[in-house]
Amino acid sequence: MERALNLPDLVEALGVHQPGVLPSPQELASLIADVEIRAFRGDFAVDETLERAAWYLHAVASASEAAELYTPARQRRAFAVSAHVFDLTLADPRHDARQRLNLAFGAQVGYRRADLDPNATAVYRRVSDLLVDNTPLVDHAETLAVEAGVAFLGLDTRFLFPLLRSWRRQLTELAATVELDDLQSTMFGPAQQIVRAVWSLLRFLAFGTGRQLPVARAALLSVLDGTAGTGDLDARWVAAHLLAIADGLESGSLYSILPPGTPNAVAQAFCLADPPVLTLWPPQRELLARPGMNPLDPATRRLLLSVPTSAGKTLLAQLIICTHVATQPGGVCYVTPLRSLGREMRKALSGRLRVLNRELSEDSDLFDILSFSQDSTDVEVTTPERLMHLLRHDADAVMQRFSLFVIDEAHLLAQPGRGFTVEGLLAYLMAAADNPRIVLLSGVLGNAASLASWLDAERPEVLFTSDWRG
């Protein structure tokens, strides 16, 4: 909310326009604030002036001439503000199903093109009940293209794969009914091509099959140039945005981002296991694209990641762990002081490690020091206290077993009591003759630069920070 009401952002998004046609930045901020306040009271009605301004901003950012007329920053601001308004408008009970689908797709496009990907997924969840697979296509042909766009931008493979299979089957059956090989010459042509493009884009992201991307682009272009049929303006709108987003998907795919030589199984462990992850968020992509001190490079011996909560550091930890066990000798010890975080990490890693044919230690009580497993499993999830206990008991065995230590919630160093345990643990690991890899994760760290200097005084790039929030 505070970002949507930021006046400089609204000024940049609206730019110069004729007074009276659209609200001024101050008026726009007032309209958004009014909707936000009334929403707390359960009144979700949105002023028509505000909705009209949102569609204007969406058009400004989407226009093919936008790159020449407007700065990239203004385009992102316009997408972000319009998406937020569409998001609010979704709750307005005056809108029917078709209008809600259009608002949802507009919001998703705005969020994704403004680098606010998690918001796009949240919008999908709010309208997933409008995506139908048990109703004949002829009963929702006019919304099929937008439904496909909304479903794809949700990137929920557990729902998306069965939904697309159902639609593809129905389209094939419909073509057979009218004795056609394809529906391009019918009113269903544009929607069929959108479904075909979404299916190819999904297969590209989930399986890394590069040949699917040109297929998707060709299908989308056929809608834009009229080859697939004319008259479905919603389909052309969806095709234009999916084509623009597809270019970013190529560089954001896990199969593209992972370092050369990384087994495909690592990407599959995230794209196919539960919970599925098909693309990465901006700070994650930025970190993995760094030429030096890449967290997936075994030559990176020390690293401190300090990013806000909801910026995806837990997923980064999973990616680092899985890449390490798939490519390097020795296991990984993930250390967290929080029971909930340990359980969350165990749940996410279990499916991913199965894809890699690696083992996760038994699910013992994270706070029971004596229950620390001493087997040869590839990944252990534990607490600082339990790890310190084992180091005192048999340090050689610990160092022989683990070649990477991932320590979460590193800001605990600043706390009395427990901070001393974490500091002692780090000091021991850094001085160990085995020179294990050490990755520290923190959402809030006031002395990040000092801690990074302690880890490696010679290389400032040991610290990675970002102020991005999902």
Side-chain angles (χ1 to χ4, degrees), residues 349-419:
L349 281 176
S350 60
R352 308 202 194 287
L353 291 174
R354 277 197 298 271
V355 174
L356 296 171
N357 196 27
R358 298 295 190 272
E359 291 185 80
L360 182 64
S361 61
E362 293 183 6
D363 187 9
S364 56
D365 188 340
L366 288 174
F367 287 81
D368 181 0
I369 289 178
L370 299 179
S371 69
F372 191 103
S373 66
Q374 300 187 40
D375 55 23
S376 58
T377 51
D378 300 284
V379 179
E380 176 73 59
V381 178
T382 188
T383 63
E385 290 79 8
R386 293 173 72 208
L387 181 54
M388 281 296 287
H389 168 77
L390 198 63
L391 283 169
R392 293 190 188 101
H393 178 71
D394 192 346
D396 289 341
V398 174
M399 303 312 296
Q400 289 174 11
R401 179 181 170 192
F402 301 119
S403 55
L404 169 63
F405 293 86
V406 179
I407 301 176
D408 213 338
E409 305 296 314
H411 54 271
L412 283 179
L413 276 165
Q415 295 185 2
R418 212 166 193 189

Side-chain angles (χ1 to χ4, degrees), residues 11 46 86 161 165 234 236 288 318:
V11 171
V46 175
F86 292 152
F161 269 119
R165 289 192 187 100
D234 284 349
R236 294 188 65 192
L288 297 182
Q318 296 171 28

Side-chain angles (χ1 to χ4, degrees), residues 188-245:
F188 297 99
Q192 181 191 47
Q193 290 298 88
I194 295 292
V195 171
R196 181 172 294 165
V198 167
W199 175 256
S200 295
L201 289 172
L202 181 62
R203 288 182 60 80
F204 167 74
L205 290 175
F207 304 109
T209 46
R211 65 180 181 275
Q212 293 292 339
L213 203 53
V215 172
R217 288 191 175 114
L220 295 171
L221 286 170
S222 73
V223 177
L224 292 175
D225 64 16
T227 305
T230 59
D232 192 339
L233 294 180
D234 284 349
R236 294 188 65 192
W237 176 50
V238 172
H241 281 298
L242 290 185
L243 192 60
I245 289 172

Side-chain angles (χ1 to χ4, degrees), residues 121-277:
T121 303
V123 169
Y124 147 76
R125 292 187 181 124
R126 292 177 58 193
V127 297
S128 59
D129 60 310
L130 300 179
L131 310 176
V132 294
D133 64 346
N134 55 358
T135 301
L137 285 180
V138 293
D139 293 342
H140 63 110
E142 72 281 0
T143 63
L144 180 58
V146 182
E147 288 179 59
V150 170
F152 175 70
L153 293 182
L155 293 180
D156 180 0
T157 55
R158 292 165 294 187
F159 177 79
L160 192 49
F161 269 119
L163 179 69
L164 290 174
R165 289 192 187 100
S166 174
W167 286 345
R168 283 161 53 83
R169 185 189 69 252
Q170 291 186 63
L171 287 165
T172 300
E173 292 172 352
L174 185 60
T177 301
V178 293
E179 298 183 350
L180 293 172
D181 295 329
D182 198 281
L183 294 172
Q184 282 201 183
S185 60
T186 73
M187 61 177 287
F188 297 99
Q192 181 191 47
Q193 290 298 88
I194 295 292
V195 171
R196 181 172 294 165
V198 167
W199 175 256
S200 295
L201 289 172
L202 181 62
R203 288 182 60 80
F204 167 74
L205 290 175
F207 304 109
T209 46
R211 65 180 181 275
Q212 293 292 339
L213 203 53
V215 172
R217 288 191 175 114
L220 295 171
L221 286 170
S222 73
V223 177
L224 292 175
D225 64 16
T227 305
T230 59
D232 192 339
L233 294 180
D234 284 349
R236 294 188 65 192
W237 176 50
V238 172
H241 281 298
L242 290 185
L243 192 60
I245 289 172
D247 295 333
L249 292 178
E250 186 169 14
S251 59
S253 162
L254 272 171
Y255 292 93
S256 303
I257 282 178
L258 292 176
T262 305
N264 267 357
V266 176
Q268 292 168 358
F270 287 84
C271 296
L272 304 180
D274 190 32
V277 176

Side-chain angles (χ1 to χ4, degrees), residues 268-299:
Q268 292 168 358
F270 287 84
C271 296
L272 304 180
D274 190 32
V277 176
L278 300 184
T279 61
L280 297 180
W281 296 346
Q284 298 166 337
R285 296 197 299 267
E286 181 185 349
L287 174 62
L288 297 182
R290 293 202 308 177
M293 303 296 281
N294 188 301
L296 306 185
D297 185 350

